[in-house]
Amino acid sequence: MSFQPVKFYQTGTFTVGNRLLAPEERSVQANMRRTNSINSGHRACQGCGEALGARYAIDAAMEATQRQLIAANATGCLEVFSTPYPETSWQIPWIHSLFGNAAAVATGIAAAMRVKGRNDVRVIAQGGDGGTTDIGFGCLSGMFERNDDVLYLCYDNEAYMNTGVQRSSATPPAARTATTMAVGPEPGNAFGQGKDLPAIAMAHGIPYVATATVAELRDLEAKVRRAMEFRGARYIHIFVPCPLGWGHASDQTIRISRLAKETGLFPVFEAEHGEVTAVSKIRRPLPVTEYLKPQRRFGHLFSPELKAEVIARIQAIADRNIRRYRLVDA
Ligand SMILES: Cc1ncc(C[n+]2csc(CCOP(=O)(O)OP(=O)(O)O)c2C)c(N)n1
Ligand code: SF4
């Protein structure tokens, strides 16, 4: 039987699949020997960005560490949907910390490994934006300041989803949550509050900081791999839409992630020792309305009447990100 060369279109795109590409070009997920760190059967909602992000990030970390990985997980959706007692989806050594101390627990694990002479075993801490930017912030800042040998992954769905969509300090302005209702003269979350955690992580001067979205999963894998090349404290902030909390269709998770980046609202970049080293450019910036409209949490900006002034303030945030990170080539 004669063999025909594989044509480009048969290999699939770089986004998903691609098992027909040359091995070095394949994503971790396209590798039949991937770990399946978080197995099917968990109870995440359909279209959950956090479940997708965690799967790609942890599988990439497993590959980068020759499967010598331990994860500490803060309380939150990822922990709850993956470990309804007595079941677990995790195929790796995994410990549930408290809501606020995943960074400290991971630091302790890393110290124990060092004492045992197991420098080959690497440690990850992970949690939602509430566990990271609010209650876990002190432990995380300490981990950064001591330069503990831990990679911290924040899955940012911009609110406390596990307990019913309460505001966190990563909730964007104007967003409706259970605690920032779409009522009153300035409905939704306030402007001028909240924390920019990637920038705060950079201000600690730690070896590696990156942001990523679940729209660019190869990029996420590459950043996890890069993070594992460093020793010391590292931080990756992953944008993970939540269909339930944001009020969008479950098949729109990837599109909304892409729009967050393409509008400039979520800058995608890498930084080493406090300096930005790479940014993911935007080819043609889109207006923020493209991002806001498909999400019911911003529905009050469009109905019963258009709130052009509020939308202009959100657009100004995107424009400032584009300038600050030079996201668009002149
Ligand atoms: C000390 C403490 N306070 C409150 C809670 C209740 N609680 C559990 S998870 C959670 C919210 C988690 O939100 P986030 O960290 O953003 O993760 P998500 O569920 O959105 O992924 C809260 C308030 C708790 N477990 N411990
Ligand atoms: S509530 Fe949101 S974060 Fe939690 S499992 Fe559902 S989609 Fe995922």
Side-chain angles (χ1 to χ4, degrees), residues 12 21 26 54 80 87 106 116 136-137 158 164 173 182 201 210 230 237 251 278 281:
L21 288 170
R26 287 179 207 160
V80 169
E87 299 159 9
K116 287 164 75 82
F137 183 68
E158 302 188 330
F230 292 88
H237 192 102
D251 62 0
K281 295 280 183 185

Side-chain angles (χ1 to χ4, degrees), residues 86-127:
E87 299 159 9
T88 179
S89 281
W90 295 99
Q91 308 297 309
I92 62 170
W94 180 95
I95 183 170
H96 172 210
S97 66
L98 298 176
F99 184 23
N101 69 350
V105 169
T107 291
I109 297 168
M113 289 301 128
R114 198 172 60 245
V115 168
K116 287 164 75 82
R118 292 297 306 271
N119 283 341
D120 57 322
V121 178
R122 309 299 301 277
V123 184
I124 276 185
Q126 54 184 354

Side-chain angles (χ1 to χ4, degrees), residues 43-51 76-78 81 157 161-162 165 240-246 253:
R43 284 108 192 256
C45 310
Q46 198 174 28
C48 173
E50 189 161 339
C77 264
L78 179 59
F81 72 61
N157 52 27
M161 295 315 180
N162 178 54
V165 197
V240 292
C242 165
L244 181 139
W246 297 11
T253 297

Side-chain angles (χ1 to χ4, degrees), residues 12-312:
T13 70
F14 281 101
T15 317
V16 285
N18 54 54
R19 286 192 185 139
L20 295 175
L21 288 170
E24 64 279 7
E25 285 187 284
R26 287 179 207 160
S27 66
V28 175
Q29 287 301 316
N31 189 332
M32 298 297 277
R33 289 181 292 110
R34 68 182 183 271
T35 318
N36 282 324
S37 311
I38 176 167
N39 225 340
S40 58
H42 57 69
R43 284 108 192 256
C45 310
Q46 198 174 28
C48 173
E50 189 161 339
L52 182 64
R55 178 183 174 85
Y56 273 71
I58 305 294
D59 275 0
M62 283 291 275
E63 188 180 81
T65 59
Q66 287 78 49
R67 303 184 178 221
Q68 299 300 310
L69 191 74
I70 300 175
N73 208 132
T75 313
C77 264
L78 179 59
E79 167 263 320
V80 169
F81 72 61
S82 64
T83 55
Y85 183 82
E87 299 159 9
T88 179
S89 281
W90 295 99
Q91 308 297 309
I92 62 170
W94 180 95
I95 183 170
H96 172 210
S97 66
L98 298 176
F99 184 23
N101 69 350
V105 169
T107 291
I109 297 168
M113 289 301 128
R114 198 172 60 245
V115 168
K116 287 164 75 82
R118 292 297 306 271
N119 283 341
D120 57 322
V121 178
R122 309 299 301 277
V123 184
I124 276 185
Q126 54 184 354
D129 50 286
T132 305
T133 67
D134 292 334
I135 190 169
F137 183 68
C139 291
L140 181 62
S141 178
M143 185 200 108
F144 288 162
E145 187 266 330
R146 293 185 303 266
N147 201 23
D148 294 323
D149 189 22
V150 174
L151 168 60
Y152 192 103
L153 300 169
C154 171
Y155 301 101
D156 183 6
N157 52 27
E158 302 188 330
Y160 291 25
M161 295 315 180
N162 178 54
T163 40
V165 197
Q166 294 86 15
R167 174 204 182 270
S168 80
S169 50
T171 301
R176 180 203 66 189
T177 68
T179 47
T180 56
M181 312 280 259
V183 292
E186 291 187 16
N189 193 34
F191 279 80
Q193 297 181 357
K195 297 178 197 165
D196 181 349
L197 231 287
I200 294 171
M202 280 171 62
H204 287 75
I206 58 173
Y208 185 75
V209 174
T211 63
T213 79
V214 289
E216 290 168 334
L217 291 162
R218 293 180 73 89
D219 179 65
L220 171 59
E221 287 183 349
K223 283 169 176 166
V224 170
R225 207 165 32 241
R226 177 78 181 132
M228 283 305 180
E229 290 171 7
F230 292 88
R231 289 282 173 173
R234 290 143 288 142
Y235 180 76
I236 303 182
H237 192 102
I238 310 166
F239 184 88
V240 292
C242 165
L244 181 139
W246 297 11
H248 64 76
S250 54
D251 62 0
Q252 294 298 299
T253 297
I254 301 299
R255 182 167 158 259
I256 285 172
S257 299
R258 189 171 297 121
L259 287 168
K261 185 214 150 192
E262 296 295 322
T263 53
L265 283 171
F266 187 82
V268 178
F269 65 92
E270 285 178 290
E272 293 179 19
H273 304 287
E275 301 292 335
V276 174
T277 52
V279 300
S280 221
K281 295 280 183 185
I282 302 173
R283 236 180 298 167
R284 195 168 51 87
L286 295 169
V288 294
T289 45
E290 299 276 315
Y291 168 77
L292 301 171
K293 266 187 188 159
Q295 305 179 49
R296 275 203 305 280
R297 64 178 173 155
F298 296 114
H300 58 95
L301 301 180
F302 301 95
S303 162
E305 77 273 347
L306 187 75
K307 305 261 185 356
E309 201 187 307
V310 182
I311 293 170

